[in-house]
Amino acid sequence: MLHTVNKSPFERNTLEACLKRAVPGAAILLIEDAVYAALAGTTLADAMTSAAQRFEVSVLGPDLAARGLENAALVEGVTVVDYGGFVDLAAAKGSVQAWL
Amino acid sequence: MNEQDTDGTVTKRFMIVNRKAPHGTVYALEVLEMVLISAMFDQDVHVAFLDDGVWQLRRGQMPGALEMKDFSKTYRALEGYGVEKIYVEGESLAERGLSEQDLVIPVEVIARADMARLMDGMDVVLTA
Amino acid sequence: MDAAYQVDGKTVAHDEEGYLTDIGQWNEAVAGIIAEAEGLPMTAERWEVVNFLREYYQEYQIAPAVRVLTKAIGKKLGPEKASNKYLYELFPYGPAKQACKIAGLPKPTGCV
């Protein structure tokens, strides 16, 4: 399963809800305003570091770039993917759960 | 709290509060347009950024990647519009790993408690 | 709406008020045609304002309100040009409306 999350974790509990339900080894892709969760140095960074050990966490590059975060330091274990990578993930995981 | 001008018109203390991150929703852009329009009405305009609103001022935004307009450049026009009272909540920056140097314009960084008092002293507050 | 300017055999679409639909289609020839449609020949003084607006848009991603334009023009082109009178003489239906249109910009935010 690929889980996508698109809301800011500072404003909504959507990411938290997803992290509670995803099974170990599941893929989680952070898109749109959820990309802020991937940043190092925030109050959420520790929780995300631990999530990245349990799940395959990635973040969408164009959404980082749009927000001025192209070169920002990310939480360890989180990888950046482009739109092609998004498609590949969806294809590899078979199904997608979008946490809106 | 109203100030009486010499010509007898009443100037209101007016604050627009930004709490939303840019690009994911349309709020930030709409509020910015509202700030530009409110600047035309000779009120005492204050603009505040707190919570996810501080992301609006992040340097280096390239929304062209999403085929969207880079309105982060427009915040730099505020000075020319006479909007110079711009406040950013320090705690909101710190929680997000941001500092004043990461922002596109010079702002006044104030503590949450001071932000609370500032908002409380306004005649009109619009929050999005 | 199929409204469009004809420029050197090419079609450049505009909205019902004459503003370009796609700012990327602007060039000096297009500006000349829009100006003609407005009944305003492009003099050096008009070009100065139109070029100023294009630079302003490039920098701030908006078309300035008239008051802001007047002030900024004064800084850049000299105080004698920083008046509504000067700008309205060049663009009788309003600098915001006509100069922005000729510059290929969207209608100014908060324009009156």
Side-chain angles (χ1 to χ4, degrees), chain B residues 39 42 69-70 74 76 80-81, chain C residues 59-61 64-65 67 71:
Chain B
D42 295 314
K69 184 164 128 168
D70 183 8
T74 308
R76 295 193 285 118
Y81 274 72
Chain C
E59 188 162 352
Y60 300 116
Q61 300 292 300
R67 194 165 79 186
K71 213 166 77 181

Side-chain angles (χ1 to χ4, degrees), chain C residues 1 3-5 12-16 18-25 104-105:
Chain C
M1 297 272 166
Y5 298 108
V12 180
H14 63 72
D15 69 9
E16 65 272 21
Y19 293 86
L20 291 194
T21 312
D22 173 12
I23 184 175
Q25 287 198 295
L105 308 186

Side-chain angles (χ1 to χ4, degrees), chain B residues 33 36-37 39-42 69-71 73-74 76-77 79-82, chain C residues 56-68 71 106 109-110 112:
Chain B
E33 287 181 352
L36 294 173
I37 290 165
M40 296 291 103
F41 292 95
D42 295 314
K69 184 164 128 168
D70 183 8
F71 60 87
K73 288 181 173 176
T74 308
R76 295 193 285 118
E79 192 187 356
Y81 274 72
Chain C
Y56 187 96
Y57 189 84
Q58 194 63 38
E59 188 162 352
Y60 300 116
Q61 300 292 300
I62 49 165
V66 186
R67 194 165 79 186
V68 178
K71 213 166 77 181
T109 301
V112 191

Side-chain angles (χ1 to χ4, degrees), chain A residues 8-12 32-33 36 39-44 62-63 65-70 72 83, chain B residues 19-25 52 55-56 58-66 94-98:
Chain A
S8 167
F10 296 99
E11 193 189 350
R12 308 278 190 92
E32 300 171 24
D33 284 345
Y36 296 119
L39 298 179
T42 76
T43 49
L44 298 168
D63 279 329
R67 291 163 178 76
L69 307 171
E70 190 178 42
Y83 290 116
Chain B
R19 291 191 58 253
K20 302 279 189 184
H23 314 307
T25 61
D52 270 350
W55 293 119
Q56 294 177 28
R58 182 71 164 84
R59 272 183 200 279
Q61 295 178 46
M62 293 183 288
L66 311 177
E95 286 159 11
R96 289 161 183 78
L98 294 171

Side-chain angles (χ1 to χ4, degrees), chain C residues 91-105:
Chain C
F91 303 98
Y93 287 99
K97 269 189 168 153
Q98 288 186 301
C100 285
K101 197 183 287 183
I102 295 167
L105 308 186

